[in-house]
Amino acid sequence: MTTPLAAEGLAAGYGMREVLTDVTRAFPAGRVTALLGENGAGKSTLLKALAGIVPARRGAVRLAGRPLSEIPRREAARAFGYLPQGFELLFPIVARDLVLLGRTPWRTAFGAPSARDRAAVEAALGEMDAGALAETDLGAMSGGERQRVLLARVLASEPGILLLDEPTANLDPRHRFLVLDAMRRRAEAGGAVVFSTHELDIAASGADDAMLLSGGRVLAAGPVADTLTEPLLSALFRVAACVTPGADGRPLVSLGPARPS
């Protein structure tokens, strides 16, 4: 099993504040990894650091064994598909044009979109059930519609590594499963997928592995059967956790009331 992406003793943060400390983990091809933790645990920062958006203060991110800091930006942009947690709409734009921006790493500076670019855009819109929104302005969309279009932009770039921050946010149950299927297909095709979520059912059903982050450090990491356990989840979220095996062997997780401090 190859390792297209890895963090080695990674520390990252903003200004004087260090958010991540000593994160070491390989994200192998063919696996989907869920990042879990309370607000402020470092999930979004880890995704940004893996994507090269937030630089490492110590340690390194490696892409196919090479330090990310030494890889040309265009090459890295072709490798990664990054979905941020928030999206600020700065100007009117219809869905098809926004998704076409996902093809930027593959296009020349002033060249017209190629047939492959246009085909990738249409395929991504279709995969996210957003084809009917192609000519709709993002400002006129619901939160769930916008999320599907933003995911289509990521998929249109045809990356080998997906880094997705809360990809199922604002989505109804049908579209949540559609996103899980898209992540699974990318992993089965040899890609690596890392996503953050607060939805334990999404982590349990959609991920192969989980990384539990607490206070910017790794509390546990490994297959979901080994990490989504009652002791670890109770410690992570400071609530009573109940875990039972599902019919497919994956854990079924429920959380109880918060524990007193």
Side-chain angles (χ1 to χ4, degrees):
M1 187 177 295
T2 59
T3 303
L5 183 65
E8 298 177 350
L10 181 64
Y14 312 94
M16 300 295 292
R17 185 168 67 99
E18 185 164 290
V19 177
L20 291 175
T21 302
D22 195 27
V23 174
T24 297
R25 182 68 179 172
F27 301 96
R31 306 284 288 183
V32 178
T33 301
L35 305 180
L36 296 170
E38 294 185 312
N39 292 333
K43 301 183 299 296
S44 295
T45 301
L46 176 56
L47 289 169
K48 290 176 182 177
L50 292 174
I53 297 168
V54 173
R57 293 184 172 184
R58 296 183 305 279
V61 175
R62 292 188 179 275
L63 179 60
R66 301 160 60 195
L68 182 59
S69 59
E70 299 177 7
I71 295 176
R73 293 182 65 182
R74 190 175 182 86
E75 181 181 345
R78 288 178 173 180
F80 292 124
Y82 170 69
L83 176 76
Q85 188 177 118
F87 177 79
E88 184 177 358
L89 185 61
L90 300 177
F91 49 84
I93 188 169
V94 300
R96 180 176 283 113
D97 290 342
L98 180 74
V99 176
L100 183 59
L101 292 177
R103 297 297 301 170
T104 300
W106 300 97
R107 297 173 60 191
T108 58
F110 301 104
S114 67
R116 178 173 175 177
D117 292 331
R118 296 190 182 281
V121 167
E122 297 307 317
L125 283 167
E127 187 174 7
M128 288 294 101
D129 191 29
L133 300 170
E135 298 302 327
T136 303
D137 189 276
L138 256 69
M141 294 181 189
S142 69
E145 290 172 335
R146 181 181 296 192
Q147 183 77 346
R148 282 150 46 206
V149 171
L150 292 171
L151 282 160
R153 178 189 61 81
V154 173
L155 299 180
S157 67
E158 300 176 306
I161 299 169
L162 291 178
L163 303 172
L164 309 176
D165 202 350
E166 298 281 358
T168 58
N170 301 314
L171 298 183
D172 57 43
R174 181 169 72 89
H175 290 108
R176 289 167 69 199
F177 287 115
L178 184 149
V179 171
L180 291 180
D181 285 343
M183 293 193 297
R184 174 56 53 200
R185 282 194 296 272
R186 296 316 187 277
E188 290 175 351
V193 180
V194 187
F195 74 101
S196 69
T197 184
H198 287 289
E199 300 171 287
L200 294 179
D201 61 326
I202 291 293
S205 62
D208 303 299
D209 303 312
M211 175 183 285
L212 312 186
L213 288 169
S214 179
R217 295 180 180 272
V218 179
L219 175 66
V224 292
D226 299 332
T227 49
L228 302 189
T229 65
E230 292 180 357
L232 286 172
L233 292 175
S234 295
L236 183 68
F237 293 111
R238 292 178 288 180
V239 299
C242 178
V243 179
T244 57
D248 58 358
R250 288 180 171 271
L252 300 176
V253 182
S254 62
L255 299 179
R259 292 175 169 177
S261 301

